[in-house]
Amino acid sequence: MSSELTPLVHNDENETTKLKRLPRSAKKRLRYERIRQQRKQAHKKKKKHRSSNHLSSILLPSTSTDTLSNQDISVTAKTFKRAANERLAEINRESTAPVICIDCAYNESMSIKELASLARQIGRCYSSNRRAIKPVQLILTNWSKDSPLAKECHRVNNGFDNFQIILSDKSIHESYPIERLIYLSPNAEKQLTEVNEQNVHVIGGLVDESVRKNMTYGVCQDKDIVCYKLPIETFMEHSINGGTFNQILSINQ
């Protein structure tokens, strides 16, 4: 008699036989688990591919204040963010770009919910400006570091202290000559059809869910500041069903 041990043979037939012996509920559970794993792997591949395409399509900002680099450079999001922030810092130092002010003088007129919404809109404004081909100087006037708005900006915007936004505790009429100011208000009578980059365009930092009228327009009348509204009715087309246009937009629109 041979003393050699016969090796165990592992084949698909044995696996199939074992699978057939499983109860129906166990087979169903195994099939569900296999499908779930396949979907999970497919999702990972798709996410990795999408992330790779996104980063490779980002254009690295040049040091120019006017244009982005035309070179299709594959960069990480962190590198792009650092380069974009440096470009905005250069723009703020040179003070040659067009100026847009967000007037933060309405803190007491807003609830905490409205302040949080305004803080998010400021964050979106900064993000859009950072990616813009021709960025502007973004300035928050009537700013107070101890105000409820400041607290909400730090809470909802990660790294707000590193934002390349000019924070000024002065009012708009103290910061710039009255003749350069163009205040945007939905209640204004005149429409803004031309943009002069030498002017300082002011947006009221106000989220008003109760829609109180003439808040920003009243400020302009008190300070003799020229006030315009966006030409929404002139250039927007009504849908087939008609309706009216919303004249009150968020500050990042």
Side-chain angles (χ1 to χ4, degrees):
M1 180 181 293
S2 175
S3 60
E4 294 183 1
L5 296 176
T6 304
L8 294 175
V9 178
H10 182 79
N11 53 44
D12 293 338
E13 292 182 1
N14 291 338
E15 288 295 329
T16 304
T17 303
K18 290 180 181 180
L19 188 61
K20 287 181 179 179
R21 292 175 182 173
L22 291 175
R24 182 178 297 178
S25 59
K27 290 180 182 179
K28 187 175 181 180
R29 187 164 56 251
L30 286 173
R31 185 165 58 251
Y32 170 77
E33 184 64 25
R34 185 168 59 251
I35 293 173
R36 193 176 72 87
Q37 290 296 332
Q38 290 174 351
R39 289 179 177 176
K40 188 175 181 180
Q41 292 297 327
H43 177 71
K44 284 184 178 180
K45 289 181 180 179
K46 185 177 180 181
K47 185 177 180 181
K48 184 177 180 181
H49 179 70
R50 184 168 61 244
S51 177
S52 176
N53 286 344
H54 172 68
L55 291 177
S56 63
S57 64
I58 292 177
L59 294 177
L60 186 67
S62 67
T63 56
S64 169
T65 59
D66 294 331
T67 60
L68 295 175
S69 172
N70 291 325
Q71 298 177 356
D72 190 9
I73 306 174
S74 178
V75 296
T76 64
K78 186 176 181 180
T79 302
F80 175 84
K81 184 177 180 180
R82 182 171 62 251
N85 285 344
E86 290 174 356
R87 183 172 65 131
L88 290 181
E90 181 183 349
I91 289 173
N92 290 339
R93 286 193 300 269
E94 294 180 354
S95 302
T96 56
V99 177
I100 292 182
C101 288
I102 299 176
D103 186 9
C104 304
Y106 305 95
N107 281 357
E108 296 181 358
S109 301
M110 290 181 283
S111 65
I112 294 298
K113 180 181 177 181
E114 290 169 335
L115 286 168
S117 179
L118 176 59
R120 292 187 185 94
Q121 292 176 23
I122 291 173
R124 288 194 286 269
C125 284
Y126 176 70
S127 179
S128 297
N129 191 43
R130 188 172 60 188
R131 292 179 176 272
I133 294 177
K134 191 174 182 180
V136 300
Q137 271 191 303
L138 190 59
I139 303 175
L140 304 184
T141 57
N142 281 298
W143 179 262
S144 172
K145 63 180 181 180
D146 299 322
S147 66
L149 176 59
K151 294 178 182 178
E152 289 301 313
C153 283
H154 284 90
R155 185 179 69 85
V156 303
N157 298 306
N158 292 330
F160 181 77
D161 286 332
N162 297 322
F163 280 17
Q164 295 301 321
I165 298 178
I166 298 175
L167 305 177
S168 173
D169 58 357
K170 296 181 179 180
S171 63
I172 54 171
H173 61 275
E174 292 175 328
S175 303
Y176 299 97
I178 293 292
E179 58 271 16
R180 287 187 61 194
L181 296 177
I182 300 292
Y183 210 117
L184 299 177
S185 172
N187 303 118
E189 298 177 358
K190 300 178 182 178
Q191 292 187 348
L192 183 67
T193 56
E194 295 182 357
V195 175
N196 184 348
E197 293 187 357
Q198 300 303 315
N199 290 330
V200 176
H201 293 83
V202 184
I203 302 172
L206 176 65
V207 173
D208 182 18
E209 295 182 352
S210 61
V211 193
R212 287 166 289 183
K213 291 186 177 181
N214 297 322
M215 290 194 68
T216 52
Y217 185 61
V219 171
C220 295
Q221 289 183 317
D222 292 340
K223 303 296 182 182
D224 291 326
I225 299 173
V226 177
C227 189
Y228 286 89
K229 64 180 178 181
L230 297 177
I232 297 175
E233 294 180 345
T234 302
F235 294 100
M236 294 292 290
E237 295 183 0
H238 286 280
S239 64
I240 298 176
N241 298 327
T244 58
F245 295 116
N246 185 7
Q247 298 285 344
I248 302 175
L249 304 177
S250 61
I251 64 172
N252 59 293
Q253 291 180 306

